Amino acid sequence: MKKLINDPLRVVDEMLEGVVMADQRRVLLEGENIVVRSDYQDLMMAGKVSIVSGGGAGHEPAHGGYVGRGMLTAAVAGPVFTSPSVDAVLSAIMTVAGPAGVLLVVKNYTGDRLNFGLAAEIASAAGVRVEMLVVGDDVALDDDAGRVGRRGIAGTVFIHKVAGAAAEAGLSLAQVKAEAQDAAAGLFSMGLALSPCTVPAAGQPGFAIAEDDVEYGLGIHGESGVRRGRIQPADAMVEVLLQRIVERGSLERGDRVALMVNNLGGSAVQELDIVARHVLAGCTSRGINVEAAMVGTFLTALEMAGCSLSLMRVDDRTLKRLQAPSDASAWHGMTVPVAAIRRIPRVKTAEQDTLQGSGWPQRNEHAMRAVLQAVSHALQDNESVLTELDSRVGDGDIGISLARGARAIDDALDSLALDRPGVALQQLSAILRRVLGGTSGPLYSVFALRAGVTLAAHPHPDTIAAWAQALQAGCEAMIRLGGANAGDRTMLDALIPAATALASQPQDVTSLRAATEMASAAQAGAEQTRHLLPAKGRSSYLGERVLGHVDPGAFAVALWMQAVANALVAD
Ligand code: ADP
Ligand code: MG
């Protein structure tokens, strides 16, 4: 277990201390793990209903994050994944109970029902007006009849919001409860887990999911789901959730809903947006109108990877409650989705159709085509080798970037002005500029641009001297733009020796011979980078740790230069 904690047994206490230290709008109840709005007394005096929720910890930002104006008045936290005690819940109720009373919003778990339920009984016997609403939104399990009923999961956050906004609007306890109950009756959720999670006090994951498996309908405490499945593309897995929610919720064309895409804790933000994309498209294709949406981390199972979807039927009133302002720290508002992606037209940059440059014979044109193909293949074939190298000393993306560039070269082959090599290089520069990205992108682009301009102006672009000048000009441009120089452990350590080798070739040498010399100079230069300390680029953060490894950028240069030579052999 690797976690940012101090004492596994004090995780909840310390977390809540952090919560209230960071936010003056929230306080802790003495001796309890209960977060309360700092202005709770004003609220009671104003005759507003208080909303109390909670449950086991481990679902952060629920529930403390929803304490704030227009949402919860207090949130009771139990130990991780364990219901809070009757007495804790009772303390919360007694603290925030004003004349208008208290609504308890409880997720449907036996422990929570009993502890919140008994606390409500005791408070009510003591004369407090208290009502309880149990939320069961999880449609994963087959049937609710005769069993404990649907579990309460992430959709409950919508109920906090509806109840909180209704209370803030000054409604009576009965009215607040009725609104929340209506909303809960049309609320359907289901989750998908990709990994387990570790309760700090337990020290190891509560269960296991094999590397290639996922679990549909897993509970937010790791209770078993409906079924295991193989990992599939996100759309296919999300469709399983969506289809079930639509069925269980009897959602039909024309229905109006609010959507929540919730991170179970350990998934990347980008994955949630990919999930949202499919759900929104899936709803549109079914004619279901998603009128409000939120995508983010709302109710988690510690660091479990995966997500849950919730759809809630809405009418104008519920929508108003969802859209009402709240200052709870974990409530970020809801957005209004659109039925189709809207794109605005791009402003075009001046393009290269008008470029001029010296031409060369047709056989050179064929040779250049063969060379570009060979370069492209070499980079694509070696994608994983480059990835591996860059993972050791950089961020691992150079293989992907260069393979993407290589495919773009392939795609562009027929449209390049191969009869005028200087123009073709400038066209390549524009392509690389668009597709490469990263550090290599602009550097390769400036290299090809300057080399192309030089070659275009040269009266004899079919000579080795012209290409040597072009390469040297390319290197100079790269030095100017990137600020690195020979010896800084970059691709320049392959490019510069290669350009120099080409420049020192005798006039009458064959292009094959010249290219071979150029490629072996690049190879030797790349090899030397093993002993160089990085000064530029991401490797520089690693310092001496890169020693012994070849710089991936230099390695790539050696690769494609070798491909150039090979293509000329084949020519
Ligand atoms: P990043 O991951 O930083 O965006 P890439 O993975 O696309 O970069 O490329 C990394 C390679 O770029 C390095 O191996 C190095 O050869 C080269 N590089 C980094 N900085 C420079 C620079 N200033 N000049 C020339 N080449 C550089
Ligand atoms: Mg990189």
Side-chain angles (χ1 to χ4, degrees):
M1 177 176 66
K2 243 196 285 187
K3 287 180 185 276
L4 294 170
I5 59 174
N6 299 306
D7 174 353
L9 300 178
R10 285 197 31 85
V11 165
V12 181
D13 313 60
E14 293 185 357
M15 155 188 92
L16 293 178
E17 286 166 13
V19 163
V20 299
M21 283 167 80
D23 187 353
Q24 59 169 357
R25 297 167 305 181
R26 292 181 286 180
V27 291
L28 279 176
L29 188 60
E30 185 92 70
E32 301 281 2
N33 282 331
I34 298 175
V35 180
V36 184
R37 276 172 64 168
S38 328
D39 60 351
Y40 70 103
Q41 280 165 324
D42 302 346
L43 181 93
M44 285 155 60
M45 302 229 288
K48 291 187 178 170
V49 172
S50 290
I51 314 289
V52 173
S53 189
H59 305 305
E60 294 67 32
H63 298 83
Y66 300 113
V67 171
R69 189 165 46 78
M71 278 191 91
L72 303 182
T73 319
V76 193
V80 175
F81 293 171
T82 305
S83 179
S85 68
V86 176
D87 288 56
V89 179
L90 186 58
S91 300
I93 297 174
M94 298 317 277
T95 305
V96 301
V102 181
L103 176 66
L104 304 182
V105 179
V106 181
K107 293 194 296 316
N108 188 25
Y109 293 98
T110 309
D112 286 339
R113 287 176 76 126
L114 297 181
N115 288 295
F116 279 79
L118 179 52
E121 284 288 335
I122 298 171
S124 157
V128 172
R129 300 179 60 192
V130 54
E131 290 283 343
M132 179 159 119
L133 173 65
V134 178
V135 180
D137 54 325
D138 186 356
V139 297
L141 297 177
D142 255 340
D143 210 328
D144 7 357
R147 292 215 243 147
V148 287
R150 288 176 179 159
R151 302 175 294 203
I153 56 174
T156 309
V157 173
F158 277 155
I159 308 305
H160 295 154
K161 185 64 176 63
V162 169
E168 180 68 26
L171 269 58
S172 71
L173 180 57
Q175 290 168 321
V176 172
K177 184 178 180 185
E179 275 201 26
Q181 210 155 22
D182 277 359
L187 174 62
F188 312 98
S189 303
M190 183 163 163
L192 169 71
L194 310 186
S195 79
C197 59
T198 299
V199 174
Q204 51 193 2
F207 60 100
I209 301 183
E211 186 58 31
D212 295 339
D213 282 354
V214 301
E215 179 122 5
Y216 290 94
L218 195 91
I220 50 175
H221 312 100
E223 311 94 307
S224 57
V226 263
R227 69 178 175 89
R228 292 227 160 163
R230 302 300 270 181
I231 182 95
Q232 288 179 74
D235 289 356
M237 297 189 294
V238 170
E239 183 57 31
V240 172
L241 303 185
L242 180 59
Q243 183 54 33
R244 180 143 188 129
I245 288 172
V246 167
E247 271 169 31
R248 292 276 146 170
S250 307
L251 294 172
E252 287 169 1
R253 190 161 287 278
D255 283 350
R256 306 167 65 193
V257 298
L259 164 69
M260 178 194 308
V261 175
N262 172 55
N263 187 356
L264 286 177
S267 283
V269 173
Q270 56 180 216
E271 295 170 47
L272 302 182
D273 289 322
I274 290 171
V275 169
R277 169 184 175 274
H278 184 79
V279 179
L280 288 163
C283 285
T284 301
S285 70
R286 288 171 168 89
I288 297 168
N289 302 318
V290 184
E291 301 199 4
M294 55 193 221
V295 180
T297 306
F298 305 111
L299 195 143
T300 59
L302 297 169
E303 75 281 17
M304 184 185 287
C307 70
S308 67
L309 305 184
S310 302
L311 288 181
M312 183 169 82
R313 291 181 180 279
V314 291
D315 53 18
D316 290 345
R317 189 186 66 186
T318 341
L319 263 185
K320 195 175 82 185
R321 300 292 182 225
L322 290 175
Q323 299 287 16
S326 167
D327 67 1
S329 65
W331 181 264
H332 306 298
M334 297 196 72
T335 51
V336 179
V338 291
I341 297 169
R342 295 177 299 171
R343 301 184 203 269
I344 54 166
R346 196 157 80 98
V347 177
K348 290 221 170 64
T349 42
E351 263 327 322
Q352 324 255 330
D353 324 340
T354 55
L355 290 177
Q356 307 284 326
S358 345
W360 61 359
Q362 208 177 24
R363 63 185 157 80
N364 296 86
E365 201 179 318
H366 293 314
M368 186 167 183
R369 190 184 175 87
V371 160
L372 288 175
Q373 272 169 336
V375 163
S376 169
H377 291 162
L379 291 174
Q380 293 182 63
D381 291 346
N382 287 284
E383 176 176 339
S384 58
V385 179
L386 288 166
T387 302
E388 162 85 29
L389 270 179
D390 196 31
S391 311
R392 257 183 247 143
V393 302
D395 55 356
D397 63 346
I398 198 171
I400 301 167
S401 297
L402 293 183
R404 190 168 54 234
R407 283 190 296 272
I409 294 176
D410 271 344
D411 293 344
L413 268 185
D414 290 330
S415 62
L416 295 178
L418 297 174
D419 56 330
R420 288 162 296 152
V423 173
L425 283 182
Q426 291 175 70
Q427 291 171 323
L428 281 175
S429 163
I431 293 167
L432 297 176
R433 189 182 74 211
R434 273 196 294 272
V435 305
L436 263 192
T439 301
S440 317
L443 292 174
Y444 266 114
S445 181
V446 80
F447 178 83
L449 175 64
R450 190 43 60 189
V453 167
T454 307
L455 207 55
H458 201 286
H460 306 292
D462 55 340
T463 58
I464 289 162
W467 281 85
Q469 271 179 33
L471 246 58
Q472 279 173 322
C475 288
E476 281 156 23
M478 188 183 280
I479 292 168
R480 267 198 307 279
L481 183 69
N485 214 323
D488 284 344
R489 194 191 156 89
T490 69
M491 59 177 140
L492 284 164
D493 292 314
L495 284 169
I496 295 172
T500 310
L502 204 57
S504 61
Q505 294 303 305
Q507 287 226 328
D508 52 353
V509 78
T510 62
S511 57
L512 164 60
R513 177 68 200 275
T516 308
E517 293 293 323
M518 170 187 81
S520 55
Q523 169 66 39
E527 194 53 37
Q528 277 305 311
T529 60
R530 279 185 204 282
H531 315 296
L532 295 176
L533 270 175
K536 286 277 162 4
R538 284 183 210 269
S539 299
S540 55
Y541 310 129
L542 286 170
E544 293 185 353
R545 285 156 73 181
V546 304
L547 289 180
H549 300 294
V550 177
D551 172 69
F555 183 82
V557 168
L559 260 178
W560 65 255
M561 288 212 168
Q562 188 57 52
V564 172
N566 294 347
L568 293 174
V569 174
D571 188 33

